[in-house]
């Protein structure tokens, strides 16, 4: 028994902010940002609610399901519109859902944590679950701080998961959290995101490699068997370092951070959507989905597309 991905959808704001534009108000340059992060432009605007609802609607349309078909909404966000209520009930209302709806906050691992939560809910009696990752990070960025302003952006991605008594698309998970590293990446109430970038970078590579190796082992396959790696989109150098240590060529990694920047819990579904649009998702093939972020949290999963 297991879970199936039935449909996907994304939403990004229309407003494109290029590195050039940021260079006009910050002591930075297109060269520095592109070289040190891989980011060239990002989308800014909307809210966790508006972007999440649009991505959710598109995923439901893609899965050919009606609001009454959805039994649970799990919405991953680090940047809810308000502290209370959670964003999920408002998104549910926008989508015509009357099922239970809750937020999950595991920072940039949020989408994978939400999928893991949904898997548990499906195995305990629910038939179909809408999982959304939606972020409005730009609201919590100090736009005069070049350390963070060049990295974070807005966006959303969603998938409809369905219970299958016979088979599964998700073969394994490896999730974790290390709260002793909580102060490395924070946003206080009423404040802005702050980060010890170098230390987060070092730990990110380590936890991605470790969790990916464990997820591969549990799934009973090797890195050579992977057709695709769908990583959290924080920094191209993190993706390069992690894939290199796993013995996977960069050609197998999906990269969209050049266009979207770091959208936290939206980044993995945004990358998935890009891979699908470009015909890189093939039935029967294996992929590694892997995220890490504030907490620190991490989450890797091995999936096989059906
Ligand atoms: O989504 C989850 C978590 N986030 C991440 O995973 C991000 C992890 N960290 C990173 O991606 C990288 O550490 C950064 C992109 C944040 C920084 O890259 P770095 O190569 O580690 O640069 P650095 O912090 O060592 O800074 C190098 C220099 C510094 O100047 P000095 O001290 O050498 O004179 C910085 O002040 O670059 C300077 N700098 C910048 N220069 C131009 C920092 N930010 C900028 C900037 N433009 N935007």
């Amino acid at each position: 028994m297991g879970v199936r991905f039935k449909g996907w959808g994304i939403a990004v704001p229309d407003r494109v902010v290029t590195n050039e534009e940021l260079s006009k108000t910050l002591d930075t340059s297109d060269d520095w940002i592109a070289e040190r992060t891989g980011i060239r432009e990002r989308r800014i605007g909307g809210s966790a609610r508006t972007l999440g609802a649009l991505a959710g609607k598109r995923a439901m349309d893609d899965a050919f399901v009606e609001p009454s078909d959805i039994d649970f909404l799990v919405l991953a966000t680090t940047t809810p519109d308000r502290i209370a209520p959670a964003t999920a009930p408002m998104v549910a209302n926008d989508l015509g859902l009357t099922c239970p709806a809750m937020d999950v906050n595991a920072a940039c691992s949020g989408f994978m944590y939400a999928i893991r939560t949904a898997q548990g809910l499906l195995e305990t009696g629910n038939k179909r679950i809408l999982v959304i990752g939606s972020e409005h990070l730009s609201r919590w960025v100090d736009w005069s701080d070049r350390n963070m302003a060049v990295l974070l952006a807005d966006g959303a991605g969603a998938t409809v998961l369905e219970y299958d008594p016979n088979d599964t698309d998700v073969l394994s998970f490896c999730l974790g959290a290390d709260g002793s590293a909580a102060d490395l990446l924070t946003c206080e109430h009423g404040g802005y995101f702050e980060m010890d970038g170098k230390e987060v970078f070092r730990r990110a590579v380590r936890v991605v490699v470790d969790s990916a190796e464990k997820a591969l082992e549990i799934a009973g396959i090797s890195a050579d068997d992977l057709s695709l790696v769908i990583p959290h989109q924080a920094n191209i150098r993190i993706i390069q370092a992690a894939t290199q240590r796993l013995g996977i060529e960069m050609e197998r990694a999906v990269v969209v951070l050049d266009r979207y920047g770091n959208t936290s819990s939206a980044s993995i579904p945004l990358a998935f959507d890009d891979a699908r649009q470009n015909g890189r998702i093939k039935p029967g093939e294996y992929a590694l989905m892997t995220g890490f972020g504030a907490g620190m949290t991490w989450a890797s999963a091995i999936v096989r597309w059906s």
Side-chain angles (χ1 to χ4, degrees):
M1 67 179 186
V3 302
R4 299 288 200 182
F5 293 103
K6 299 305 281 190
W8 292 78
I10 67 162
V12 289
D14 294 334
R15 171 91 162 88
V16 177
V17 177
T18 63
N19 291 348
E20 287 296 347
E21 185 175 346
L22 289 179
S23 308
K24 287 183 187 147
T25 51
L26 290 170
D27 181 16
T28 189
S29 64
D30 178 38
D31 282 352
W32 192 95
I33 303 168
E35 217 171 88
R36 305 306 296 168
T37 73
I39 299 168
R40 295 200 169 270
E41 59 185 42
R42 72 283 291 142
R43 302 297 186 98
I44 300 296
S47 71
R49 176 182 183 168
T50 59
L51 295 169
L54 189 53
K57 169 87 174 74
R58 288 174 174 159
M60 286 169 62
D61 289 347
D62 191 47
F64 299 104
V65 296
E66 300 295 324
S68 58
D69 296 324
I70 302 292
D71 295 334
F72 217 109
L73 167 62
V74 185
L75 184 137
T77 186
T78 322
T79 51
D81 288 14
R82 293 184 269 182
I83 288 176
T87 304
M90 299 188 290
V91 169
N93 188 56
D94 295 344
L95 294 173
L97 306 181
T98 53
C99 60
M102 67 174 185
D103 285 6
V104 164
N105 180 351
C108 304
S109 313
F111 190 76
M112 301 310 297
Y113 265 65
I115 300 259
R116 179 72 184 93
T117 304
Q119 182 192 37
L121 290 165
L122 288 167
E123 287 173 354
T124 49
N126 295 283
K127 176 78 181 138
R128 235 169 262 107
I129 299 190
L130 177 60
V131 172
I132 302 175
S134 184
E135 299 289 1
H136 187 203
L137 293 158
S138 66
R139 177 174 168 182
W140 306 100
V141 167
D142 172 357
W143 288 96
S144 65
D145 173 12
R146 69 177 182 178
N147 292 308
M148 297 308 298
V150 302
L151 304 175
L152 304 183
D154 305 327
T159 184
V160 174
L161 290 173
E162 192 173 278
Y163 177 72
D164 188 324
N166 302 312
D167 209 347
T168 189
D169 288 350
V170 182
L171 301 179
S172 66
F173 267 111
C174 177
L175 272 64
D178 175 8
S180 71
D183 290 337
L184 293 180
L185 174 47
T186 59
C187 180
E188 301 298 333
H189 287 293
Y192 299 115
F193 278 102
E194 293 178 73
M195 174 171 67
D196 177 345
K198 269 197 183 317
E199 189 55 24
V200 171
F201 190 116
R202 258 193 295 272
R203 288 171 185 247
V205 175
R206 206 184 310 147
V207 297
V208 164
V209 172
D210 286 353
S211 65
E213 283 174 344
K214 286 192 187 103
L216 284 164
E217 191 185 327
I218 297 165
I221 63 168
S222 77
D224 287 344
D225 298 319
L226 294 170
S227 298
L228 222 49
V229 179
I230 304 179
H232 169 48
Q233 309 282 309
N235 188 319
I236 188 80
R237 293 183 294 129
I238 293 177
I239 300 174
Q240 283 164 341
T243 50
Q244 190 188 11
R245 284 184 204 186
L246 287 164
I248 300 168
E249 314 84 61
M250 259 307 269
E251 291 69 48
R252 284 191 269 163
V254 183
V255 176
V256 295
L257 56 78
D258 52 333
R259 279 163 285 153
Y260 296 135
N262 181 347
T263 57
S264 191
S265 65
S267 81
I268 287 178
L270 286 175
F272 174 90
D273 185 73
D274 186 81
R276 186 170 75 154
Q277 300 299 340
N278 289 305
R280 295 177 72 183
I281 307 278
K282 304 211 176 63
E285 291 189 347
Y286 296 102
L288 163 69
M289 297 169 111
T290 181
F292 61 88
M296 279 190 79
T297 59
W298 57 89
S300 288
I302 302 299
V303 299
R304 188 185 49 219
W305 312 117
S306 59

